[in-house]
Amino acid sequence: MAVRQCQERGSAVDAVPFTRAARELELKPREFELAVQLGLVRTVAHGPGGRRRVTREEIDRHTAGGGFPGTLRSQVWAVGTAEGAELMGISPARFVRLARAGCFAPARFYVNRYRAVVWHYLAAELVEFAEANPGLLTGRTPPGLRDALEGREDRRARRWRDRRLDRFLASAEDPWERAAVTAAFLGPEQLADAVPDPYEREYVRTLRPELVPLRSDAPAAREVVDRVVLAADPDEITCHRRRLAAALVSAREDRPAPRPRRRPAGGGTVGEGGPVQEVQPAHEVRPGPEPGGLRVWWRRLRRGK
């Protein structure tokens, strides 16, 4: 992973911040954000803090292509229920039924002031679905789909999670990063059970990606976002845990998770030729939501202190 980061930073000498990249690509802030989330605009780590930027090469790749900026903007055109229903030629009520059944995956969401989740979908995918499934747009709902809807199974959040999972796994090259991607969809209790080693768990927590930018620190908004981001169904949790277990096997074969070091009992300091001792916890440590404990130690380790 370190080699990969160095390569990224080395290739990002001529890189620009997101605001400038969005302006040059003629995208609105939300459009650019979605383009990055979908992998349409590639980013690289840049500078000591590893902040993401867009290289000049990536910007030129889009601006030099045919149909710019229309082609790129059409790929990130996201619509809500009313616009989506109009694009597909159906009623908003039928659109919601199809969306709840998981017929198409949301591309993004936000939490409004009433703490309700508002879903947005890619316009191009809705048109493609309508052209491929004309039988679902009129007449009675098929029995299988009707049974799912009558059971009040809302699959929109799961379809969104599937999209984000596929995207992050496609871009993760380091085995520990791949493990962290899967772990990002598990709640604290599920993660603690799936990764009992506290140092491995903290390493995974440190590497896991930001699944959605949170624009509010309000606890109520955080709770709503967590209900979307974290797996809820037992079968989905089992699937993520199985995938995480396989990813951890590969990650451990690549290298062990970092563990804290301390001054050797016989005197001297680490780095002066003295033996290095690993600190093994007397009992399992479960870091709480507040920064502290292993999280503080890990951040100090990454800064070289």
Side-chain angles (χ1 to χ4, degrees), residues 219-231:
R222 178 75 266 178
E223 291 177 5
V224 176
V225 170
D226 283 346
R227 287 200 295 270
V228 174
V229 170
L230 301 180

Side-chain angles (χ1 to χ4, degrees), residues 33-241:
E33 180 182 287
L34 184 56
V36 172
Q37 290 183 4
L38 296 175
L40 299 173
V41 175
R42 298 187 293 262
T43 66
V44 295
H46 182 78
R51 294 180 64 87
R52 309 299 296 185
R53 290 197 174 195
V54 182
T55 63
R56 174 59 52 192
E57 179 183 5
E58 178 69 2
I59 294 176
D60 292 342
R61 182 176 71 87
H62 287 284
T63 57
F68 176 82
T71 300
L72 180 58
R73 297 193 69 175
S74 66
Q75 291 177 298
V76 294
W77 181 21
V79 298
T81 298
E83 288 180 294
E86 183 178 353
L87 279 172
M88 298 176 68
I90 59 178
S91 68
R94 194 177 191 96
F95 180 92
V96 171
R97 288 198 299 271
L98 293 174
R100 285 175 57 88
C103 292
F104 31 81
R108 69 183 180 198
F109 72 92
Y110 70 90
V111 180
N112 65 16
R113 60 179 178 174
Y114 303 107
R115 302 178 188 174
V117 177
V118 179
W119 297 102
H120 280 173
Y121 309 83
L122 293 179
E125 291 183 356
L126 296 181
V127 173
E128 181 181 348
F129 176 85
E131 292 176 348
N133 302 276
L136 295 179
L137 306 184
T138 59
R140 294 177 58 85
T141 305
L145 191 59
R146 187 169 59 249
D147 292 342
L149 295 174
E150 290 175 354
R152 297 183 179 180
E153 181 184 7
D154 188 345
R155 298 183 61 85
R156 287 175 292 185
R158 183 163 183 172
R159 291 300 310 275
W160 177 87
R161 289 191 292 269
D162 290 341
R163 181 192 288 275
R164 298 298 284 149
L165 175 67
D166 292 342
R167 169 71 194 106
F168 280 115
L169 286 179
S171 61
E173 298 179 3
D174 180 81
W176 281 102
E177 288 181 356
R178 285 193 289 271
V181 168
T182 304
F185 297 91
L186 296 175
E189 293 299 323
Q190 288 84 12
L191 182 59
D193 291 337
V195 191
D197 185 288
Y199 303 119
E200 289 185 343
R201 186 166 64 250
E202 186 62 20
Y203 192 38
V204 166
R205 285 164 59 106
T206 302
L207 294 176
R208 63 184 176 183
E210 182 183 40
L211 298 178
V212 59
L214 185 63
R215 293 181 171 82
S216 173
D217 293 329
R222 178 75 266 178
E223 291 177 5
V224 176
V225 170
D226 283 346
R227 287 200 295 270
V228 174
V229 170
L230 301 180
D233 296 335
D235 64 322
E236 185 183 4
I237 293 174
T238 300
C239 181
H240 284 306
R241 291 190 57 165

